[in-house]
Amino acid sequence: MSAFYVTTPIYYANAEPHAGHAYSTIIADALARYHRLKGDDVFFLTGVDEHGAKIHEAATDAGISPQAYCDRIAPTFTKLWERLNISYDIFMRTTSNMHKRGAEKFLAALYNSGDVYKGTYEGYYCRPCERFVPEKELTDEKICPDHKLPLEWLEEENYFFRLSKYQDRLLAHIQETPEFIYPESRRNELLRVLEGGLEDVSISRASVSWGIPLPFDPDHIVYVWIEALTNYMTALDYENESDRYHTFWPADVHMMAKEITRFHALIWPAMLMAVNLPLPKQIVAHGWLTKDGEALSKTRGIFIDMDTDIETYGLDAFRYYLLREFSFGNDGDYRPARLHARYNADLANDLGNLLNRVLGLVNKNFEGVPTPTIPGEFDDEIKAMAQATIDQLDAHIKTFAFDAALETIWEFVRRINRYVQQTQVWTLAKPETKPRMGTILYNSLEALRIISVLISPFIPDTAEKIQNQIGLTEFDTATAWGGLSVGIEVSRGEPIFPRIDTKKQKQPQPKPEAKPKKKAEKKTTHLVAFADFQKLDLRVAKILAAEPIEGADRLLKLQVDLGTEKRQLVAGIAEHYTPEELVGKQVIVVANLEPATIRNVESQGMVLAGSGDTVVLATLEKEMPLGTQVR
RNA sequence: GCCGGUGUAGCUCAGUGGUAGAGCACACGACUCAUAAUCGUGCUGUCCGGAGUUCGACUCUCCGCACCGGCACCA
């Protein structure tokens, strides 16, 4: 028996969970269950990351303390995991004492490694962001890229981790351990990042209050990302280095969505190298979900309605669909219509119906599970296929190919349907052929039992239902052929996946999603004196000409007419507007902004636009004379 | 603009230097134990476009197009 430790990320607790969290967690759950089935000693971690400025901010917006806010959010995750039948062993909360003490221990060790140094962070700071704006994001105006507010020059004492020192070792490790980062596309991406060079990272924040103080300097709070990563160890009682820790560290799989691989595959391993601890074996990234071809978006109201689909098709259909239809590592397009198709074709027709027809025949002709006495055509083939399926499954899980894994199982399901068909069992009820009939039905039941075992990591409730109907009282995980006892009483219950007709399902569809979610928008952060506002000179202008800027995907060069004068502006709207459609439009322009040079093009002002998931130009309700002041 | 990935039947995707595959959908047939289920047969493809290497390319090389990522860019 070997140990297997799988983790999901600890999800940031500034908002309630969504389908993306569900996807990561279901994948990890399937892995955990698969390894338990193989007899491994499994530890499965998930949880929430509860510290940091953003949570503080969300709590402030909600008018409660950060802790109270976290206490409100955390249960929304655990409730969802219950609903999704997630078999986690621990739900980590970073506000727990176990984590805090473990994190402190880790940070102390990191400090003692000598790779933490105190430096002065000088730079332009954005108060609303609570962060320094990196050099490369800076422009001549010194304005925050997110808030568009002036930055202040700040010098802050900060602790740094000597990440740069580990560049070569990281590079070597990734090169020598091809499976360390999976899939390969992510690995290549990170190799390129490494080749480009690493800079030391700041690991503390003096300006943030909601977090864990550095053990070696309580005036500073650990940067939330650094602290969060340690949870993978603190959850194992790293603090006391108890048995659990020794059994399960290093982790076998850190599962996550593709956008956070850098922290996991570069910074986290480097931190572990610094304190001389073994590295996790695999950093695994899955793709994102889209909905009917569109990126999920809170502001645009595009989301996956898990509740409705689970209610309509059942939890296992939802799990099955996510695991079966999406090829791991790529983005997957979630389409309720496909879920529906999968439900009927794979679950109702192939599997559900097979169980039902076999049980019907057994019920009608035998008392309980019949005895296999007369071997015949196809029997050996079926048995061999059972074993082959088991072997192939193993290979697929190793590469996280859940789609192929389920397809492999379903080939076997279809084979059994064919077996029943080919042997024409239902015609064998005559006395002289009845023993053969019993044998075929035994084989079919045994195949179904093995199928139930194989699907149990993916759709556990269904696996249990099948075994219940076969008559097993306790879930039997044996995969060797012949494990099914003769004579036990089968109970043909209701179809486990009743077909759902296209017609009556999905009626007019109430479309509760028609309107975008009510603004998740954060409150505006800082108050500005009216006098400050008056400093801005906003004017009505008309776009005379627009053209792309060479080498920049997002930029357009605009010529605008302010009435009294013409100006050239650069606007980052090329992804949302074509030059043609801009010409002639009235827009609002900040006329007294310092000129800036962007991509070698001079910009004498700025065009206002709503900027969220999409970008929409600000304009006046009716046209007004060019140069009119806006206030 | 740079780097990487993808582009194969209506849909989701496999695939190999030697005459194109699966599942779903569709059509027809068989069967009637079963959930309008099952089983069989069949159907559709300029394997993104162009050029090249080769006796032969969907598979290799180059150029291009589209989409998706990463980086740069967003005043």
Side-chain angles (χ1 to χ4, degrees), chain A residues 31 62 114 145 157 319 398 424 451 457 498 530-531 569 583 588 616:
Chain A
L31 273 180
E157 282 198 323
R319 289 176 59 117
K398 277 202 178 66
Q424 303 264 301
I451 286 163
F530 183 68
L569 312 181
V583 174
I588 299 171
V616 177

Side-chain angles (χ1 to χ4, degrees), chain A residues 139-174:
Chain A
T139 51
D140 297 343
E141 285 71 33
K142 315 299 186 219
I143 287 178
C144 170
D146 293 332
H147 294 84
K148 314 290 180 202
L149 292 171
L151 300 168
E152 29 187 321
W153 178 258
L154 211 67
E155 294 178 15
E156 180 180 292
E157 282 198 323
N158 239 316
Y159 287 89
F160 288 83
F161 170 56
R162 234 179 274 284
L163 180 63
S164 56
K165 174 177 162 187
Y166 293 92
Q167 178 168 332
D168 293 343
R169 276 179 68 187
L170 283 170
L171 192 58
H173 184 255
I174 294 172

Side-chain angles (χ1 to χ4, degrees), chain A residues 497-620:
Chain A
F497 293 110
R499 265 188 75 91
I500 295 175
D501 271 322
T502 332
K503 293 179 184 168
K504 50 184 164 186
Q505 78 98 32
K506 300 284 162 187
Q507 287 276 318
Q509 251 195 339
K511 283 230 171 185
E513 47 196 302
K515 55 163 192 263
K517 278 266 191 101
K518 44 195 154 338
K519 224 25 299 193
E521 201 52 68
K522 350 178 163 351
K523 294 177 183 163
T524 40
T525 2
H526 287 279
L527 300 180
V528 178
F530 183 68
D532 285 337
F533 167 72
Q534 278 188 310
K535 290 177 189 165
L536 288 175
D537 184 16
L538 303 175
R539 299 281 176 166
V540 175
K542 182 178 185 176
I543 299 176
L544 300 175
E547 60 177 300
I549 291 175
E550 178 121 5
D553 288 352
R554 298 167 127 152
L555 304 182
L556 290 179
K557 182 162 79 176
L558 308 178
Q559 309 298 335
V560 301
D561 187 348
L562 287 174
T564 50
E565 58 173 318
K566 296 188 172 44
R567 294 266 190 101
Q568 171 172 292
L569 312 181
V570 173
I573 55 175
E575 290 172 313
H576 304 93
Y577 288 92
T578 60
E580 298 77 57
E581 64 181 314
L582 286 172
V583 174
K585 272 196 168 41
Q586 266 204 358
V587 292
I588 299 171
V589 165
V590 183
N592 62 340
L593 203 58
E594 292 181 337
T597 302
I598 299 143
R599 285 263 146 183
N600 290 325
V601 178
E602 188 174 21
S603 181
Q604 304 158 320
M606 129 178 211
V607 175
L608 296 185
S611 77
D613 290 318
T614 183
V615 166
V616 177
L617 287 174
T619 182
L620 293 178

